[in-house]
Amino acid sequence: MFLGIKLLAIGNSFSEDATAYLKKISDSAGIDVEITNLFVPGCSLEMDSDNLADNKPAFRLDFNGVNSDRYISIRDALKLDKWDIVTIQQESSRAGLIDSYYPYATELIDTIRQNVPDAKIYFHETWAYEIDCLHAGFVNYDKQQLKMFDMICQSVNRFCKENDGISYIPCGEVIQELRRHPAFDYQNGGESLCRDGFHMSLIYGRYALASTWFETLFGGDIFEADFLPQAEDVINGFTIDSEHVTDKQKIELIKQCVHNVCKQKKES
């Protein structure tokens, strides 16, 4: 019988990015976890609510960062195990539009609490798009990265305050803070943390997200985790380009940024 932490992420490709390295990071720090991600491309809270109503097996069930060929509904996934943690999120282009959260997110939270009353629920705060992103939803923020970031932060904070007991995973804050450092200041010649303008880059972006989840959800210290993404890693169908593996200075920068943001959040 597995006695570690059991995590269910109800999400899309952004939770797929966040959980790709989470198991390996946790293992390297001696924290025993099982990570299940429900994946539908571009899934929104409204789509989650629709799935609760029709109970169709629309979500691909991914396990410990690896794709599977199994599909399931949200209700059936909640019944699969005794989850310790369940995460939810809004579709990225609507993450800064608070009206798009209601009533769908509260319906989802109510269903989670009915089925796994002992689970802690977290909201996954997603990130602002890259400055030159071509995603159609970027127009919701006048194609301005900082505006998108501010609106996401405001919406997530408001939602969590309005739904007592919900905390959030500060991925958007970590990514934006990293963008302030020359290594990841894309506008001024640094490396983009996105691979296509909105999904995370396979090494540093995904590593930053998983590190943030690791500290927030499992109470870990990322400095105690020695996992590094390697060229031979194949995550959700992507093979890391060996020419870009792995700048340890950038990894240390990410660790420090994640640790600082997560510490500040705990103290606030």
Side-chain angles (χ1 to χ4, degrees):
M1 180 182 294
F2 179 77
L3 299 177
I5 302 169
K6 296 180 180 180
L7 164 66
L8 176 66
I10 302 172
N12 53 33
S13 58
F14 276 42
S15 59
E16 183 181 55
D17 274 350
T19 57
Y21 294 134
L22 186 53
K23 172 66 173 174
K24 293 183 177 182
I25 288 173
S26 301
D27 284 349
S28 74
I31 297 178
D32 201 9
V33 300
E34 284 186 352
I35 300 151
T36 301
N37 180 53
L38 300 186
F39 169 83
V40 169
C43 190
S44 66
L45 289 166
E46 182 175 3
M47 293 170 67
D48 289 336
S49 179
D50 290 343
N51 188 260
L52 292 177
D54 60 31
N55 204 41
K56 289 182 179 179
F59 289 82
R60 190 183 69 212
L61 192 68
D62 297 340
F63 187 66
N64 288 334
V66 180
N67 295 356
S68 79
D69 58 2
R70 182 179 178 185
Y71 285 78
I72 197 168
S73 70
I74 293 174
R75 289 188 188 277
D76 289 341
L78 289 171
K79 297 173 184 176
L80 272 182
D81 215 326
K82 187 176 180 180
W83 304 107
D84 297 296
I85 299 169
V86 180
T87 70
I88 65 174
Q89 65 187 68
Q90 178 57 301
E91 185 270 327
S92 63
S93 69
R94 284 176 267 188
L97 308 177
I98 186 62
D99 289 345
S100 73
Y101 288 44
Y102 291 100
Y104 316 112
T106 48
E107 292 173 358
L108 182 56
I109 289 170
D110 288 344
T111 302
I112 295 168
R113 286 176 168 161
Q114 290 166 9
N115 285 273
V116 278
D118 295 330
K120 293 193 67 175
I121 303 172
Y122 287 82
F123 198 93
H124 178 202
E125 177 194 77
T126 53
W127 50 93
Y129 296 161
E130 193 53 272
I131 55 172
D132 56 359
C133 181
L134 299 178
H135 193 295
F138 206 14
V139 297
N140 291 333
Y141 312 96
D142 300 321
K143 298 185 178 181
Q144 296 178 36
Q145 183 185 88
L146 288 178
K147 182 174 183 178
M148 185 175 186
F149 169 67
D150 287 340
M151 289 178 67
I152 290 172
C153 289
Q154 291 171 18
S155 295
V156 171
N157 272 279
R158 176 177 162 184
F159 176 78
C160 289
K161 288 178 180 178
E162 291 174 350
N163 291 270
D164 186 45
I166 304 298
S167 188
Y168 69 93
I169 312 167
C171 289
E173 293 165 44
V174 166
I175 296 304
Q176 205 61 35
E177 180 64 24
L178 282 169
R179 286 168 169 162
R180 297 177 61 246
H181 294 270
F184 298 113
D185 182 0
Y186 175 66
Q187 187 169 10
N188 294 297
E191 182 172 352
S192 177
L193 286 164
C194 295
R195 65 180 184 266
D196 57 6
F198 50 104
H199 291 107
M200 285 285 98
S201 60
L202 297 181
I203 299 177
Y204 305 114
R206 283 184 162 188
Y207 181 83
L209 299 185
S211 299
T212 307
W213 281 50
F214 173 73
E215 287 221 354
T216 302
L217 301 182
F218 306 149
D221 182 338
I222 193 58
F223 287 106
E224 296 178 0
D226 57 12
F227 166 77
L228 293 176
Q230 301 296 325
E232 62 270 20
D233 283 332
V234 179
I235 303 293
N236 292 329
F238 294 101
T239 304
I240 295 175
D241 184 346
S242 61
E243 294 180 0
H244 295 92
V245 176
T246 294
D247 187 328
K248 291 186 178 180
Q249 288 185 327
K250 289 181 179 177
I251 292 293
E252 289 303 310
L253 171 60
I254 291 170
K255 286 185 174 184
Q256 190 63 63
C257 180
V258 167
H259 193 70
N260 289 346
V261 170
C262 291
K263 182 180 178 181
Q264 290 169 7
K265 182 179 179 297
K266 289 176 183 176
E267 294 174 349
S268 63

